[in-house]
Structure formats: C-alpha cells, structure tokens
C-alpha cells in the first residue's frame, strides 16, 4: 500500500483572517466644526457689541453723511481685535480637541494641528459670509451709498434735493415735483465723477431751481453750486471710509489665518502635555469648590 503526497499552492483561506487595521485619520472634522462654530459665534457677539458702541462695520442708518475715515479706522481696529479673539479661540479648540498619535515627529504634529486651524479659519469665514449675505438680502432696498446709480440717486440725495428746491412758495404744478426731483438727482449723480457736471446740465438744473423756487438766476446758480459741492464731499467721505474699512477687513482676515494656525499648534502642545497651565494649581480647591 503506497501513500501519495499531494503538493500544490497553499490555500489562501488558511491565512490570517484578522480585519485590516485602519490607518490614522489625518483630518478630524468634529474639532474643526466645533472650532469654526465657536469662532463664528464669538465674532457675532463681538461685532454686535462693537455695533452697540458705535464701531459697526456697516450702519443701517440713512445718515451716511456722518461717515468719517477716523470712525472707519476705529471700526477696522475693532475688527482686528475680533479676529484675534474669535480665530484664536476656534483654532485652539480645534488643536486641543484633535486626537493624536505617538508614531510621528513633533514637526508633523505642529503641521497637522496648524492645518486644522486653517480649516477652522476657512469654515468660519464661510459661515460669516453666509450670514452676511442673508443680512444683505434683507437690506437690499437701501442701495449702495458709495456708488449711486439712477435708481438709487433720489433716495440717496434726498437731503441735497430738499436743499436745492427749498422755497416758501407752493409749486405751480404740484404733480410735477417728483419729476423735478428725479431729473435733478440724475443730473447731480452724473456730475459726481472726475469730469464734473457739464455746462448744459448745470444751466438746465439752474433753470429748474429758478422755476421751482422763484430765486434770481445768480441765487439759483449759487444754490446749485452749494448742493453739488455738498454731494461731492459727502460721497467722497463715504468712499474713503469704505476703502479704509475694506482694507482693515482684509487685514483682519489675514491676521486671523495666522492666529488660527498658531493657536491650533498651541492647543496641540497643550493636548500632548507640552504646555501646562498652573493657574488653578495656585489654589487648593476641594470638590465643593470651597477654597481651603
């Protein structure tokens, strides 16, 4: 009786059947969302507080003639402080709450924590942009104060038009007053550029004022010059304030990027035990929160 030895390829089913170990996750979205929500909330609170003390980014008031470069600069500085507080706290939370691994270098730890801070910064900006867009749609009827158009000229220059056609006499045709104001608003708006108002437009506007108010020609010309100068000065002041404030917004966002990165890296160091806070250790506090 002979025995036969069968040789062949080993059966794959006899190999190790343990499930594969998943690799480390380099992005933890829960800390990122938590940090972004906290950053957006802190920004909202601080901007609301700034609006309460007169440092609003955009005022809902129609008295836009009071816009000044100094006020815009103060509002921009408040934006910088808001960016420091909001993105710093959001980045720190993202780095502090993120899980860590023991098989990497400190440089890789710092880089990955910084990436989490960067994502907090970007997500918080998207949340703020969405809220700002919603608020802008609600206030879409106000128009742009710094770039008046034919559609928004009359409401925007209402004070100047009142000054232009101010008179003690009643209009000869009461129904023609809105049309006069609309024509004057379009003429003034067209003359707010660098080239100024055309001579024929100025002459026509003078005749409108003369017919509506009953003033002499020289007085009508003087009033037209005063109103055009007031409109130019007010809109130029609003434009200067808008330029300063827009620049400060951009600076605050760039500063927020750096702060979020550094704060996330600091939070990661605190998470890994490289940073110790000894503030509470100065006090011996028992479980009933009574200082011994």
């Amino acid at each position: 009786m002979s025995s036969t030895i069968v040789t062949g390829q080993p059966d794959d089913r006899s190999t190790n059947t343990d499930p594969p170990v998943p690799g480390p996750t380099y992005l933890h979205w829960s800390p990122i969302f938590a940090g972004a929500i906290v950053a957006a909330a802190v920004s909202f609170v601080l901007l609301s507080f700034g609006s309460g003390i007169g440092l609003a980014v955009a005022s809902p008031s129609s008295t836009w003639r009071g816009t000044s470069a100094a006020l815009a600069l103060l509002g921009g500085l408040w934006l910088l402080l808001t960016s420091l507080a909001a993105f710093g706290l959001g980045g720190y939370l993202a780095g502090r709450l993120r899980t860590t691994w023991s098989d990497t270098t400190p440089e890789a730890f710092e880089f990955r924590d910084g990436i989490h801070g960067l994502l907090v910064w970007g997500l918080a900006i998207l949340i703020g942009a969405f809220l700002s867009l919603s608020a802008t749609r609600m206030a879409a009827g106000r128009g742009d104060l710094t770039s008046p158009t034919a559609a928004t000229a009359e409401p925007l220059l209402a004070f100047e038009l009142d000054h232009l056609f101010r008179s003690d006499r009643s209009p000869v045709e009461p129904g023609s007053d809105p049309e006069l104001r609309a024509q004057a608003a379009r003429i003034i708006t067209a003359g707010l550029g660098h080239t100024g108002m055309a001579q024929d437009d100025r002459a026509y506007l003078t005749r409108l004022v003369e017919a509506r108010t009953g003033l002499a020609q020289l007085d009508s010309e003087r009033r037209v010059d005063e109103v055009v100068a007031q409109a130019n000065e007010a809109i130029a002041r609003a434009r200067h304030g808008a330029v300063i404030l827009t620049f400060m917004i951009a600076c605050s966002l760039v500063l927020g990027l750096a702060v979020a990165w550094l704060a996330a890296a600091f939070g990661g160091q605190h998470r890994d035990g490289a940073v110790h806070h000894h503030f509470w250790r100065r006090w011996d506090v028992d479980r009933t929160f009574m200082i011994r």
Side-chain angles (χ1 to χ4, degrees), residues 180-220:
L180 290 178
R181 294 174 63 90
Q183 290 186 28
R186 290 191 291 268
I187 293 174
I188 294 175
T189 303
L192 292 178
H194 296 288
T195 58
M197 184 180 297
Q199 291 297 327
D200 54 346
D201 290 337
R202 184 181 295 273
Y204 179 74
L205 187 59
T206 301
R207 289 195 299 270
L208 289 180
V209 174
E210 186 178 356
R212 174 62 180 83
T213 62
L215 295 174
Q217 182 179 359
L218 293 179
D219 294 334
S220 299

Side-chain angles (χ1 to χ4, degrees), residues 35-148:
I37 292 174
V38 170
V42 172
S43 297
F44 177 78
V45 172
L46 293 180
L47 290 178
S48 300
F49 179 76
S51 299
I53 62 177
L55 298 178
V57 176
S59 175
S61 175
S62 59
T63 58
W64 54 276
R65 294 166 186 82
T67 304
S68 64
L71 184 60
L73 182 60
L74 289 177
L77 293 177
W78 182 256
L79 283 177
L80 292 177
L81 295 177
T82 300
S83 178
L84 286 173
F87 291 119
L89 181 58
Y92 174 81
L93 289 178
R96 183 69 175 83
L97 298 176
R98 186 181 73 87
T99 57
T100 185
W101 317 282
S102 59
D103 56 347
T104 185
T105 60
E107 291 78 11
F109 275 132
E110 182 178 355
F111 177 76
R112 291 168 184 170
D113 291 332
I115 289 297
H116 281 70
L118 175 63
L119 292 176
V120 166
W121 173 81
L123 187 58
I125 290 179
L126 291 179
I127 295 174
F130 175 76
L131 296 177
S132 300
L133 181 61
S134 301
T136 303
R137 288 182 177 180
M138 293 178 61
R142 292 185 58 231
D144 189 3
L145 299 181
T146 60
S147 299

